[in-house]
Amino acid sequence: MSRSRRTIPEELLLLALDPTTGTTAQPQSLDLGLAGAQLVELALAGRIAPDGDRIAVVLPRPTGDPTLDSALELLRRRGSPVRAVNWIGGPRLGLRQTYLTHLERCGMVHAVENQMCGVLPTTRYQATETAVSRQIRARLDTAIRTGTPPDARTAALAALAHAVGLGKHLYPGNEGRSSRSRLRDLIRHDPMGGLVAHAVMDVQNGVAGQQRRAAASARGRKQAHTTAPAPIGSAQPVPDQSRRRGVARTMVRTSVSSH
């Protein structure tokens, strides 16, 4: 694969990199987006193709990119088409760091070692080739501003940027609302990018739904515990006032019987 241009995972990561803080925006969803971006890049390279909501390997030949080839080999080992949402939602430990390290080797970013609270070591990344980042951003801006259908690579990048929530990072505030809306609309211009972007959003919604259901279940258990009836046969507490009335009635009946 030619290295004259950056791959979509690399472009997505550069878009997410905050030049001020040296951290990445939307870190959790970004990991999902990088896994999806690999699928789009492999599709553009002719190695995989969509099959409904699944991904099928059509050419298992390596691309020359080690990270992409690792993903391609994992897909090949599945033996049958895999659902995009299952692939993207699978474990991707260290994928973001793998791409950050790769960009550092390429001279695109520079690692800055630091400490959090003076104790915990942290690493931040500053972009060194800012011209490349500006060019990537300019492609999105042009597609949003002109409204003309972009090329498949730019459309897929826009779809993934929207899916991982980078819209508010790239186009913040009320003034960026229309740009965020147009960014979302670009999803329809690339079928593979749209498939993957929707899969990324489905994974996020599924995780959020599970969390909501778990919280609701915990609240239900707590409520049931606090309102549970006493076991059958157990002694029931009798209010003092009722007890006194019962004693008084007993004394009256005893008095009447004696007469």
Side-chain angles (χ1 to χ4, degrees):
M1 177 180 293
S2 172
R3 300 302 292 157
S4 59
R5 61 185 176 189
R6 310 263 48 104
T7 64
I8 292 180
E10 294 166 357
E11 290 185 336
L12 184 66
L13 188 52
L14 288 171
L15 278 179
L17 194 62
D18 190 315
T20 303
T21 64
T23 59
T24 54
Q26 304 294 333
Q28 300 303 319
S29 57
L30 181 60
D31 292 342
L32 302 176
L34 290 173
Q38 287 185 313
L39 295 180
V40 176
E41 190 67 45
L42 287 171
L44 291 174
R47 298 320 195 262
I48 63 175
D51 182 7
D53 66 344
R54 298 174 181 269
I55 304 297
V57 176
V58 295
L59 183 62
R61 188 177 67 205
T63 65
D65 182 302
T67 310
L68 290 177
D69 290 341
S70 176
L72 179 62
E73 176 62 15
L74 288 175
L75 285 168
R76 186 192 67 80
R77 289 179 183 176
R78 294 292 184 95
S80 61
V82 58
R83 292 187 65 205
V85 69
N86 290 343
W87 173 262
I88 291 170
R92 294 289 177 273
L93 297 178
L95 186 58
R96 186 181 0 147
Q97 186 58 50
T98 296
Y99 274 107
L100 283 169
T101 302
H102 171 71
L103 289 174
E104 184 182 17
R105 287 198 302 265
C106 295
M108 300 294 300
V109 300
H110 172 64
V112 179
E113 303 296 335
N114 208 332
Q115 287 186 334
M116 181 182 297
C117 301
V119 179
L120 299 176
T122 62
T123 304
R124 300 180 183 274
Y125 292 86
Q126 300 291 339
T128 53
E129 288 290 339
T130 56
V132 175
S133 298
R134 287 197 299 269
Q135 290 171 3
I136 297 170
R137 174 67 181 271
R139 282 166 40 212
L140 289 185
D141 291 344
T142 300
I144 289 173
R145 185 179 64 254
T146 63
T148 57
D151 61 276
R153 182 172 292 273
T154 301
L157 180 62
L160 286 163
H162 167 71
V164 302
L166 287 183
K168 292 183 179 180
H169 168 69
L170 299 172
Y171 307 104
N174 289 331
E175 64 276 11
R177 183 177 300 173
S178 61
S179 294
R180 294 195 298 270
S181 177
R182 295 190 188 106
L183 182 71
R184 181 190 64 237
D185 293 341
L186 292 176
I187 289 180
R188 68 179 187 271
H189 291 295
D190 179 59
M192 184 65 181
L195 169 65
V196 169
H198 282 108
V200 170
M201 291 185 284
D202 286 345
V203 172
Q204 294 180 82
N205 291 336
V207 171
Q210 290 174 5
Q211 291 174 341
R212 287 193 296 270
R213 287 192 294 272
S217 177
R219 288 194 300 270
R221 289 194 299 270
K222 182 177 180 181
Q223 184 177 5
H225 176 73
T226 56
T227 61
I232 297 176
S234 62
Q236 298 293 327
V238 179
D240 290 342
Q241 186 176 359
S242 299
R243 185 181 295 111
R244 285 195 297 270
R245 285 200 299 265
V247 171
R249 284 195 297 268
T250 302
M251 292 176 66
V252 170
R253 285 196 298 270
T254 303
S255 176
V256 172
S257 300
S258 65
H259 290 288

